[in-house]
PDB file of all heavy atoms in Angstrom:
ATOM      1  N   GLY A 271     104.996  47.060 128.504  1.00 92.00           N
ATOM      2  CA  GLY A 271     106.264  47.118 127.824  1.00 92.00           C
ATOM      3  C   GLY A 271     107.393  47.813 128.577  1.00 92.00           C
ATOM      4  O   GLY A 271     108.565  47.737 128.356  1.00 92.00           O
ATOM      5  N   MET A 272     106.923  48.614 129.566  1.00 95.00           N
ATOM      6  CA  MET A 272     107.879  49.286 130.443  1.00 95.00           C
ATOM      7  C   MET A 272     108.818  48.292 131.126  1.00 95.00           C
ATOM      8  O   MET A 272     109.967  48.629 131.437  1.00 95.00           O
ATOM      9  CB  MET A 272     107.204  50.219 131.445  1.00 95.00           C
ATOM     10  CG  MET A 272     106.602  51.495 130.888  1.00 95.00           C
ATOM     11  SD  MET A 272     105.902  52.530 132.225  1.00 95.00           S
ATOM     12  CE  MET A 272     105.382  53.993 131.199  1.00 95.00           C
ATOM     13  N   ASN A 273     108.246  47.179 131.447  1.00 97.00           N
ATOM     14  CA  ASN A 273     109.063  46.180 132.142  1.00 97.00           C
ATOM     15  C   ASN A 273     110.308  45.660 131.258  1.00 97.00           C
ATOM     16  O   ASN A 273     111.336  45.376 131.755  1.00 97.00           O
ATOM     17  CB  ASN A 273     108.292  44.868 132.458  1.00 97.00           C
ATOM     18  CG  ASN A 273     107.632  44.289 131.155  1.00 97.00           C
ATOM     19  OD1 ASN A 273     106.954  45.007 130.455  1.00 97.00           O
ATOM     20  ND2 ASN A 273     107.792  42.975 131.010  1.00 97.00           N
ATOM     21  N   GLU A 274     110.129  45.751 129.965  1.00 96.00           N
ATOM     22  CA  GLU A 274     111.245  45.365 128.996  1.00 96.00           C
ATOM     23  C   GLU A 274     112.297  46.424 129.018  1.00 96.00           C
ATOM     24  O   GLU A 274     113.480  46.111 128.811  1.00 96.00           O
ATOM     25  CB  GLU A 274     110.699  45.155 127.580  1.00 96.00           C
ATOM     26  CG  GLU A 274     109.560  44.123 127.466  1.00 96.00           C
ATOM     27  CD  GLU A 274     110.141  42.715 127.768  1.00 96.00           C
ATOM     28  OE1 GLU A 274     111.355  42.545 127.910  1.00 96.00           O
ATOM     29  OE2 GLU A 274     109.312  41.803 127.930  1.00 96.00           O
ATOM     30  N   LEU A 275     111.937  47.677 129.312  1.00 96.00           N
ATOM     31  CA  LEU A 275     112.935  48.724 129.380  1.00 96.00           C
ATOM     32  C   LEU A 275     113.661  48.704 130.724  1.00 96.00           C
ATOM     33  O   LEU A 275     114.849  49.130 130.839  1.00 96.00           O
ATOM     34  CB  LEU A 275     112.312  50.149 129.104  1.00 96.00           C
ATOM     35  CG  LEU A 275     111.654  50.395 127.806  1.00 96.00           C
ATOM     36  CD1 LEU A 275     111.082  51.767 127.716  1.00 96.00           C
ATOM     37  CD2 LEU A 275     112.634  50.161 126.632  1.00 96.00           C
ATOM     38  N   LEU A 276     112.921  48.274 131.770  1.00 97.00           N
ATOM     39  CA  LEU A 276     113.465  48.261 133.070  1.00 97.00           C
ATOM     40  C   LEU A 276     114.487  47.048 133.235  1.00 97.00           C
ATOM     41  O   LEU A 276     115.460  47.206 133.957  1.00 97.00           O
ATOM     42  CB  LEU A 276     112.381  48.015 134.063  1.00 97.00           C
ATOM     43  CG  LEU A 276     112.663  48.021 135.575  1.00 97.00           C
ATOM     44  CD1 LEU A 276     113.285  49.412 135.988  1.00 97.00           C
ATOM     45  CD2 LEU A 276     111.406  47.793 136.393  1.00 97.00           C
ATOM     46  N   ALA A 277     114.251  45.990 132.540  1.00 98.00           N
ATOM     47  CA  ALA A 277     115.080  44.718 132.751  1.00 98.00           C
ATOM     48  C   ALA A 277     116.493  44.910 132.507  1.00 98.00           C
ATOM     49  O   ALA A 277     117.370  44.489 133.359  1.00 98.00           O
ATOM     50  CB  ALA A 277     114.513  43.602 131.899  1.00 98.00           C
ATOM     51  N   PRO A 278     116.938  45.604 131.374  1.00 98.00           N
ATOM     52  CA  PRO A 278     118.376  45.782 131.200  1.00 98.00           C
ATOM     53  C   PRO A 278     119.099  46.591 132.254  1.00 98.00           C
ATOM     54  O   PRO A 278     120.183  46.264 132.721  1.00 98.00           O
ATOM     55  CB  PRO A 278     118.551  46.453 129.842  1.00 98.00           C
ATOM     56  CG  PRO A 278     117.259  46.043 129.091  1.00 98.00           C
ATOM     57  CD  PRO A 278     116.183  46.003 130.263  1.00 98.00           C
ATOM     58  N   LEU A 279     118.438  47.625 132.726  1.00 98.00           N
ATOM     59  CA  LEU A 279     118.955  48.482 133.724  1.00 98.00           C
ATOM     60  C   LEU A 279     119.142  47.659 135.041  1.00 98.00           C
ATOM     61  O   LEU A 279     120.225  47.805 135.691  1.00 98.00           O
ATOM     62  CB  LEU A 279     118.064  49.645 134.058  1.00 98.00           C
ATOM     63  CG  LEU A 279     117.896  50.789 132.919  1.00 98.00           C
ATOM     64  CD1 LEU A 279     116.783  51.719 133.229  1.00 98.00           C
ATOM     65  CD2 LEU A 279     119.239  51.526 132.681  1.00 98.00           C
ATOM     66  N   PHE A 280     118.111  47.021 135.453  1.00 98.00           N
ATOM     67  CA  PHE A 280     118.241  46.263 136.722  1.00 98.00           C
ATOM     68  C   PHE A 280     119.233  45.180 136.589  1.00 98.00           C
ATOM     69  O   PHE A 280     120.004  44.934 137.608  1.00 98.00           O
ATOM     70  CB  PHE A 280     116.829  45.660 137.111  1.00 98.00           C
ATOM     71  CG  PHE A 280     116.880  44.984 138.435  1.00 98.00           C
ATOM     72  CD1 PHE A 280     116.894  45.639 139.615  1.00 98.00           C
ATOM     73  CD2 PHE A 280     116.822  43.611 138.464  1.00 98.00           C
ATOM     74  CE1 PHE A 280     116.962  45.060 140.798  1.00 98.00           C
ATOM     75  CE2 PHE A 280     116.852  42.926 139.699  1.00 98.00           C
ATOM     76  CZ  PHE A 280     116.976  43.603 140.885  1.00 98.00           C
ATOM     77  N   TYR A 281     119.290  44.432 135.476  1.00 98.00           N
ATOM     78  CA  TYR A 281     120.284  43.394 135.306  1.00 98.00           C
ATOM     79  C   TYR A 281     121.702  43.898 135.462  1.00 98.00           C
ATOM     80  O   TYR A 281     122.536  43.337 136.183  1.00 98.00           O
ATOM     81  CB  TYR A 281     120.192  42.704 133.997  1.00 98.00           C
ATOM     82  CG  TYR A 281     121.203  41.698 133.712  1.00 98.00           C
ATOM     83  CD1 TYR A 281     121.071  40.412 134.152  1.00 98.00           C
ATOM     84  CD2 TYR A 281     122.309  42.023 133.035  1.00 98.00           C
ATOM     85  CE1 TYR A 281     122.036  39.418 133.935  1.00 98.00           C
ATOM     86  CE2 TYR A 281     123.271  41.028 132.840  1.00 98.00           C
ATOM     87  CZ  TYR A 281     123.157  39.777 133.244  1.00 98.00           C
ATOM     88  OH  TYR A 281     124.155  38.846 133.111  1.00 98.00           O
ATOM     89  N   VAL A 282     121.961  45.038 134.769  1.00 97.00           N
ATOM     90  CA  VAL A 282     123.331  45.619 134.884  1.00 97.00           C
ATOM     91  C   VAL A 282     123.634  46.106 136.291  1.00 97.00           C
ATOM     92  O   VAL A 282     124.788  45.816 136.843  1.00 97.00           O
ATOM     93  CB  VAL A 282     123.440  46.782 133.883  1.00 97.00           C
ATOM     94  CG1 VAL A 282     124.756  47.607 134.127  1.00 97.00           C
ATOM     95  CG2 VAL A 282     123.428  46.259 132.457  1.00 97.00           C
ATOM     96  N   PHE A 283     122.776  46.736 136.972  1.00 97.00           N
ATOM     97  CA  PHE A 283     123.048  47.269 138.330  1.00 97.00           C
ATOM     98  C   PHE A 283     123.109  46.173 139.320  1.00 97.00           C
ATOM     99  O   PHE A 283     123.845  46.199 140.266  1.00 97.00           O
ATOM    100  CB  PHE A 283     122.035  48.338 138.685  1.00 97.00           C
ATOM    101  CG  PHE A 283     122.034  49.564 137.807  1.00 97.00           C
ATOM    102  CD1 PHE A 283     120.891  50.317 137.616  1.00 97.00           C
ATOM    103  CD2 PHE A 283     123.164  49.847 136.996  1.00 97.00           C
ATOM    104  CE1 PHE A 283     120.930  51.419 136.770  1.00 97.00           C
ATOM    105  CE2 PHE A 283     123.148  50.973 136.185  1.00 97.00           C
ATOM    106  CZ  PHE A 283     122.021  51.760 136.059  1.00 97.00           C
ATOM    107  N   ARG A 284     122.199  45.154 139.182  1.00 97.00           N
ATOM    108  CA  ARG A 284     122.213  43.998 140.086  1.00 97.00           C
ATOM    109  C   ARG A 284     123.485  43.132 139.901  1.00 97.00           C
ATOM    110  O   ARG A 284     123.898  42.404 140.821  1.00 97.00           O
ATOM    111  CB  ARG A 284     120.952  43.145 139.842  1.00 97.00           C
ATOM    112  CG  ARG A 284     120.858  41.930 140.761  1.00 97.00           C
ATOM    113  CD  ARG A 284     120.494  42.390 142.142  1.00 97.00           C
ATOM    114  NE  ARG A 284     120.262  41.188 143.029  1.00 97.00           N
ATOM    115  CZ  ARG A 284     121.170  40.362 143.502  1.00 97.00           C
ATOM    116  NH1 ARG A 284     122.446  40.577 143.275  1.00 97.00           N
ATOM    117  NH2 ARG A 284     120.876  39.366 144.254  1.00 97.00           N
ATOM    118  N   SER A 285     124.200  43.307 138.788  1.00 95.00           N
ATOM    119  CA  SER A 285     125.430  42.471 138.524  1.00 95.00           C
ATOM    120  C   SER A 285     126.646  43.315 138.911  1.00 95.00           C
ATOM    121  O   SER A 285     127.742  42.892 138.579  1.00 95.00           O
ATOM    122  CB  SER A 285     125.463  42.132 137.056  1.00 95.00           C
ATOM    123  OG  SER A 285     124.287  41.429 136.636  1.00 95.00           O
ATOM    124  N   ASP A 286     126.465  44.409 139.499  1.00 95.00           N
ATOM    125  CA  ASP A 286     127.627  45.177 139.926  1.00 95.00           C
ATOM    126  C   ASP A 286     128.425  44.487 140.915  1.00 95.00           C
ATOM    127  O   ASP A 286     127.904  43.789 141.858  1.00 95.00           O
ATOM    128  CB  ASP A 286     127.177  46.565 140.495  1.00 95.00           C
ATOM    129  CG  ASP A 286     128.305  47.563 140.724  1.00 95.00           C
ATOM    130  OD1 ASP A 286     129.247  47.281 141.454  1.00 95.00           O
ATOM    131  OD2 ASP A 286     128.140  48.613 140.106  1.00 95.00           O
TER     132      ASP A 286
END
Side-chain angles (χ1 to χ4, degrees):
M272 286 183 176
N273 59 304
E274 301 295 348
L275 299 181
L276 183 62
L279 291 171
F280 183 73
Y281 176 84
V282 168
F283 298 156
R284 181 68 174 79
S285 303
D286 194 298

